[in-house]
């Protein structure tokens, strides 16, 4: 197993900048997830590591070995794609054995590796079946198995769960995570699904338009997003963003919107002097709004309930406060009806503020 280092990696397809100045050190045995919206450069990054795409600029190392010019087949990397691309006319056993036969391993060695991978993935009873006799989840396991038998230094996964239904995706998420522990291998995993990224990654790399926005542990990104894009991308339902004005009065700082005025906690008020009387974007997660029974100056928001969405473990309230729309995720036992005026308590410890121009976080 090995560490992977990406140093100033860029990829341009003529005038299209797919990836720009990508820098990252992935530790040995780390599970790193690249996440971002469609077209942000995730797959291109993975393909450059795999050697399937030439890099325009920069260096890629596996361990201490510079691999820029090493052909894909000699990189000791295995990749699982979104479409599993199993050979339909071969049995699961033959699918697993194929790459080892190409490498001319002995029959005994191949048999041992195939059976070891099948045990690890809990599919030994499927070895004689053809891919069309398998469920989506089983096919996915075989695709992973094909990489395991090769015992590569690094595993690359490109949206491997996106063909599965929602329930199976959740199950496979857990299985891949367990597998990572058992293999204790370096994994680089691409997804556009932030929940998948949050639940699986030791660290997450959020990308947008070819640029890395932020690298961090899941909860660091959730609680301390570096800009409005990361704040909006991580977390569900997405963070509420409202254009407000920063006001100084009574020796305190406040954010003032059309329908509310909230007090900024003292420890968050430092470094905001330059923004007084200016517009800033205020951010609060739906989970940081709960129903209040009485108004508290600077802490509660008067809101009009438009839509109620019971999810089960929480209720989403689509509310209006003045001209602004907000979503609150409240306790499922909360008593509330549509078209009701309510008070929402804001958890001020968890508010976010962003520069309205460059969208960088201010707290
Ligand atoms: P998705 O989630 O949709 O797969 P992605 O984040 O993986 O998206 P990439 O596939 O890496 O994005 O593409 C990044 C950018 O590079 C996109 O603008 C894409 O159109 C462009 N691109 C990718 N491959 C090529 C190519 N062979 N020729 C030209 N442009 C390309």
């Amino acid at each position: 197993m090995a560490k992977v280092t990406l140093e100033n990696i860029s990829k341009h397809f003529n005038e299209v900048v797919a990836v720009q100045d990508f820098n990252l050190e992935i530790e040995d045995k780390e599970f790193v997830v690249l996440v971002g919206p469609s077209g942000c450069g995730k797959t291109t990054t993975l393909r450059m590591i795999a050697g399937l795409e030439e890099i325009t600029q920069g260096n890629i190392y596996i361990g201490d070995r510079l691999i820029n010019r090493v052909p894909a087949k000699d990189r000791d990397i295995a990749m699982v794609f979104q479409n599993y691309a199993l050979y339909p006319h071969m049995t699961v056993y033959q699918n697993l054995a194929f790459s080892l036969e190409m490498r001319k391993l002995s029959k005994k060695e191949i048999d041992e590796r195939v059976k070891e991978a099948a045990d690890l993935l809990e599919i030994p009873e499927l070895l004689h079946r053809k891919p069309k006799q398998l469920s989506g989840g089983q096919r996915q396991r075989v695709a992973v198995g094909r990489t395991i038998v090769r015992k590569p230094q690094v595993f690359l996964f490109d949206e491997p769960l996106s063909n599965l239904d929602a329930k199976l995706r959740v199950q496979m998420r857990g299985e891949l995570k367990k597998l990572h522990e058992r293999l204790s291998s370096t994994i680089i995993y691409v997804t556009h699904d932030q929940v998948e990224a949050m639940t699986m990654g030791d660290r997450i790399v959020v990308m947008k338009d070819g640029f890395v926005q932020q690298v961090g542990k899941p909860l660091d990104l959730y609680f301390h997003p570096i800009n409005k894009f990361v704040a909006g991308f991580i977390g569900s339902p997405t963070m509420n963003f409202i254009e407000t004005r920063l006001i100084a009065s009574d020796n305190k700082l406040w954010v003032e919107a059309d329908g509310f005025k909230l007090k900024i906690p003292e420890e968050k008020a430092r470094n905001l002097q330059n923004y007084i009387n200016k517009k800033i974007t205020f951010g609060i997660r739906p989970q940081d709004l709960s129903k209040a029974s009485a108004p508290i100056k600077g802490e509660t928001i008067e809101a009009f309930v438009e839509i109620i969405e019971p999810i089960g473990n929480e209720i989403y309230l689509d509310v209006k406060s003045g001209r602004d729309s907000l979503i609150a995720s409240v306790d499922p036992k909360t008593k509330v009806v549509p078209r009701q005026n309510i008070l929402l308590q804001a958890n001020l410890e968890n508010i976010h503020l962003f520069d309205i121009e460059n969208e960088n976080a201010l707290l």
Side-chain angles (χ1 to χ4, degrees):
M1 301 305 148
K3 161 173 138 172
V4 178
T5 308
L6 304 176
E7 214 174 66
N8 265 321
I9 298 297
S10 298
K11 177 69 189 181
H12 299 175
F13 296 103
N14 300 319
E15 74 283 3
V16 178
V17 178
V19 178
Q20 187 67 35
D21 293 332
F22 193 116
N23 284 290
L24 187 66
E25 267 196 24
I26 299 164
E27 296 302 326
D28 183 25
K29 302 184 178 57
E30 201 179 11
F31 195 136
V32 165
V33 180
L34 311 183
V35 69
S38 185
C40 70
K42 310 177 291 289
T43 296
T44 303
T45 305
L46 212 59
R47 287 172 58 82
M48 287 192 282
I49 299 169
L52 301 174
E53 205 75 74
E54 235 178 73
I55 59 178
T56 307
Q57 197 187 307
N59 291 317
I60 303 181
Y61 299 86
I62 296 183
D64 296 326
R65 179 182 177 219
L66 180 67
I67 56 157
N68 290 18
R69 307 220 165 270
V70 176
K73 65 176 176 45
D74 300 329
R75 287 192 181 192
D76 209 1
I77 282 176
M79 188 155 168
V80 179
F81 297 92
Q82 179 177 349
N83 58 349
Y84 317 130
L86 302 179
Y87 300 112
H89 57 288
M90 292 185 190
T91 62
V92 169
Y93 187 103
Q94 289 163 334
N95 265 284
L96 294 179
F98 185 73
S99 68
L100 306 181
E101 283 163 0
M102 290 288 108
R103 282 161 53 192
K104 311 228 180 307
L105 266 63
S106 72
K107 270 211 156 45
K108 180 166 170 285
E109 169 94 42
I110 292 174
D111 193 58
E112 276 170 14
R113 288 200 190 190
V114 167
K115 287 188 175 148
E116 191 187 348
D119 284 343
L120 204 58
L121 294 162
E122 295 167 8
I123 52 168
E125 72 286 0
L126 304 179
L127 284 173
H128 63 280
R129 291 205 203 165
K130 297 261 176 74
K132 69 169 185 294
Q133 298 168 309
L134 303 175
S135 71
Q138 290 166 336
R139 269 181 228 154
Q140 205 276 344
R141 258 171 253 180
V142 178
V144 174
R146 281 203 311 198
T147 60
I148 292 176
V149 292
R150 290 176 46 196
K151 304 196 175 192
Q153 294 207 69
V154 180
F155 288 87
L156 306 179
F157 287 87
D158 190 5
E159 305 242 9
L161 305 186
S162 51
N163 285 345
L164 306 179
D165 68 46
K167 199 166 161 211
L168 195 52
R169 262 207 315 266
V170 174
Q171 186 191 334
M172 288 305 297
R173 236 159 51 195
E175 291 195 13
L176 284 180
K177 214 170 156 172
K178 271 191 257 161
L179 187 68
H180 173 239
E181 277 167 27
R182 275 183 258 147
L183 291 170
S184 66
S185 49
T186 310
I187 294 185
I188 309 172
Y189 187 105
V190 159
T191 178
H192 63 272
D193 179 345
Q194 59 94 16
V195 177
E196 215 165 282
M198 292 290 280
T199 52
M200 296 180 83
D202 295 326
R203 276 192 307 159
I204 299 177
V205 180
V206 182
M207 297 181 71
K208 181 190 172 216
D209 299 336
F211 286 88
V212 171
Q213 302 290 300
Q214 188 170 4
V215 181
K217 292 186 178 148
L219 291 182
D220 286 343
L221 298 191
Y222 183 83
F223 287 112
H224 307 290
I226 202 166
N227 59 28
K228 189 179 165 196
F229 176 79
V230 176
F233 193 78
I234 302 285
S236 174
T238 194
M239 186 185 284
N240 297 295
F241 295 113
I242 291 165
E243 194 178 302
T244 59
R245 185 173 288 279
L246 190 69
I247 305 287
S249 74
D250 303 338
N251 272 333
K252 295 191 177 60
L253 293 183
W254 312 72
V255 279
E256 191 174 53
D258 187 41
F260 62 83
K261 185 170 165 185
L262 295 175
K263 186 170 61 193
I264 296 177
E266 228 167 84
E267 68 280 7
K268 293 188 185 279
R270 299 176 209 122
N271 310 327
L272 291 176
Q273 297 305 317
N274 291 345
Y275 287 88
I276 292 172
N277 293 328
K278 291 193 178 144
K279 282 184 181 173
I280 55 174
T281 302
F282 166 72
I284 188 158
R285 295 202 184 275
Q287 290 79 3
D288 288 318
L289 291 169
S290 54
K291 189 161 175 259
S293 44
I296 306 174
K297 188 179 175 201
E299 290 188 26
T300 50
I301 296 175
E302 287 179 17
F304 175 74
V305 178
E306 293 195 314
I307 297 171
I308 298 176
E309 299 174 85
I311 300 301
N313 59 344
E314 52 194 350
I315 302 176
Y316 299 156
L317 304 178
D318 291 28
V319 304
K320 251 322 220 261
S321 170
R323 278 191 301 268
D324 298 308
S325 298
L326 290 154
I327 294 183
S329 172
V330 300
D331 187 276
K333 294 202 185 78
T334 307
K335 298 258 178 299
V336 60
V337 292
R339 313 187 65 74
Q340 183 186 352
N341 285 305
I342 60 167
L343 283 169
L344 291 173
Q345 169 81 43
N347 179 3
L348 299 175
E349 296 307 311
N350 286 349
I351 62 169
H352 300 262
L353 298 174
F354 305 94
D355 185 299
I356 210 152
E357 299 292 335
N358 63 24
E359 303 194 338
N360 286 336
L362 299 176
L363 295 175

